[in-house]
Amino acid sequence: MKNESHRGRRGGRCEEGNEQEGKHDLRRGAKTFRRGRALAFYEMMNTKSTSLKKQLETPELQSINPVLVGELKAVEMLMDEFAQLFELVEVEESQASETGIESQDLETKQ
């Protein structure tokens, strides 16, 4: 009679199909972890963007308005590229609808 189960990598007994599922879960877990870190970085960039937008509206900082606009454009460009690279399209779309300020709005502030 053939034994259908065998020892897995950690010494426990498992069915052949279960071992494959375990490997798949590990890969998905790593992907989820990386995606979580990517989302955290994107949120940090979004916070910087929001801060720069507030600074643009501050009367005391009007003398450096062109610098702030340049920094804001750079941060938003990085956010766009990052979202595209890590396929964070749904996050980017929800962020745009929440803030209501598009890159066209920035050009009118210069």
Side-chain angles (χ1 to χ4, degrees), residues 52-58 62 65 68-69 72 106:
L52 286 168
K53 289 173 186 175
K54 288 178 184 176
Q55 290 176 4
L56 278 173
E57 297 170 359
T58 305
Q62 289 304 308
N65 197 356
L68 295 174
V69 169
L72 182 57
L106 294 176

Side-chain angles (χ1 to χ4, degrees), residues 31-49 75 79 82-83 86 88 90-92 95:
K31 184 177 180 181
T32 303
F33 176 74
R34 285 190 302 269
R35 182 168 175 81
R37 291 183 75 185
L39 289 171
F41 180 78
Y42 190 86
E43 275 300 315
M44 184 180 70
M45 295 296 287
N46 188 49
T47 302
K48 288 181 182 184
S49 173
V75 167
M79 288 173 64
F82 190 82
F86 288 95
L88 303 177
E90 66 278 357
V91 173
E92 186 178 42
Q95 295 286 339

